[in-house]
Amino acid sequence: MARLTTEERQKIIIDEAIKIIHEAGYESLSIRELASKVQISEPAIYRHFLNKEDIILGILSRIGEFDHKLEANLAGGKTAAEKLKRFIQFHFDFLQKNKEMTSVLFSEDIFNQSDLLKQKLMRIIKYRKSLLTSIIDQGKDEKDIKNIETANIVTMILGFIRLTVLEWRLGGFGFNLSIKGDKIISAITDMIGN
């Protein structure tokens, strides 16, 4: 059997860390448990990650990869309305396929224990807000979006996304998030569209 590269091993460790957090909560994530699940020694985990915080940074880096895919997806839209639909739907589609990520993103315990993790998450949020701000401003320029304070529209849209995902998560993932996205998009465009 071929030996795994460092990148492959790190991906496996991060995948398993996400599963542990999803199934048992952040407090259940330990290097010992992770090593057991990945079937390597604890020192081997430390060869790939400095500590638990470093593993969470690896998870957040994966979310950064999502941002690159989101940007590419937005580039396919010409109008602000198309880009807004793509922005919202991309979030729902990604989480529908990666529901375990909601356990990380919605776990305030993870981010309250580390200023570094909190700062990294805040950079991700700030970046998403800037993407959405540019879409809203484009829509205002195109006269497709009402002249409401851009920051308020951004907060409203991100709040809709967060609330919908939270309901989906707390409901045991009992509905299709991607399908629900269409309804949310229609409601948002009705509210902010001219």
Side-chain angles (χ1 to χ4, degrees):
M1 187 160 121
R3 200 177 163 132
L4 295 176
T5 66
T6 298
E7 293 79 19
E8 291 168 332
R9 179 68 72 193
Q10 287 173 336
K11 182 187 180 315
I12 290 168
I13 292 168
I14 288 172
D15 288 344
E16 198 57 51
I18 293 168
K19 285 180 194 170
I20 291 169
I21 293 169
H22 181 67
E23 292 168 2
Y26 175 67
E27 52 288 334
S28 296
L29 178 64
S30 69
I31 300 301
R32 175 175 286 137
E33 177 68 12
L34 194 51
S36 171
K37 295 280 188 180
V38 178
Q39 298 180 353
I40 60 176
S41 68
E42 289 179 50
I45 297 281
Y46 286 114
R47 281 195 294 274
H48 296 285
F49 296 97
L50 297 174
N51 52 31
K52 198 167 147 176
E53 179 183 66
D54 199 28
I55 293 167
I56 301 300
L57 284 171
I59 294 170
L60 292 178
S61 291
R62 187 171 291 174
I63 294 168
E65 293 168 16
F66 165 87
D67 287 338
H68 295 300
K69 291 176 185 173
L70 174 61
E71 260 186 73
N73 185 275
L74 291 177
K78 302 289 183 242
T79 67
E82 289 172 1
K83 289 178 182 177
L84 182 60
K85 179 178 168 57
R86 285 171 174 264
F87 181 91
I88 296 168
Q89 195 64 52
F90 197 81
H91 280 79
F92 289 144
D93 291 346
F94 173 80
L95 292 172
Q96 180 71 48
K97 292 175 191 163
N98 301 280
K99 64 183 171 200
E100 297 85 9
M101 288 298 281
T102 62
S103 298
V104 175
L105 295 171
F106 285 81
S107 178
E108 291 182 19
D109 289 349
I110 293 173
F111 304 103
N112 286 334
Q113 296 184 21
S114 165
D115 285 339
L116 181 62
L117 294 176
K118 194 180 298 182
Q119 289 167 7
K120 176 87 171 175
L121 182 62
M122 289 305 294
R123 279 195 299 274
I124 291 168
I125 292 168
K126 186 176 179 181
Y127 178 73
R128 300 261 175 90
K129 287 173 93 172
S130 73
L131 280 179
L132 198 47
T133 296
S134 67
I135 294 168
I136 300 304
D137 288 344
Q138 177 187 346
K140 286 182 175 183
D141 291 344
E142 295 170 354
K143 306 289 188 229
D144 288 336
I145 294 179
K146 293 178 183 173
N147 193 19
I148 302 169
E149 180 76 33
T150 299
N152 292 336
I153 295 173
V154 167
T155 300
M156 181 182 72
I157 292 169
L158 293 175
F160 266 116
I161 292 170
R162 184 168 175 81
L163 179 62
T164 303
V165 172
L166 184 59
E167 287 175 341
W168 175 63
R169 184 171 182 258
L170 294 175
F173 309 103
F175 60 87
N176 186 303
L177 192 58
S178 295
I179 293 171
K180 181 83 166 188
D182 286 334
K183 294 177 184 174
I184 297 298
I185 291 165
S186 293
I188 290 171
T189 54
D190 287 348
M191 288 173 31
I192 66 171
N194 270 331

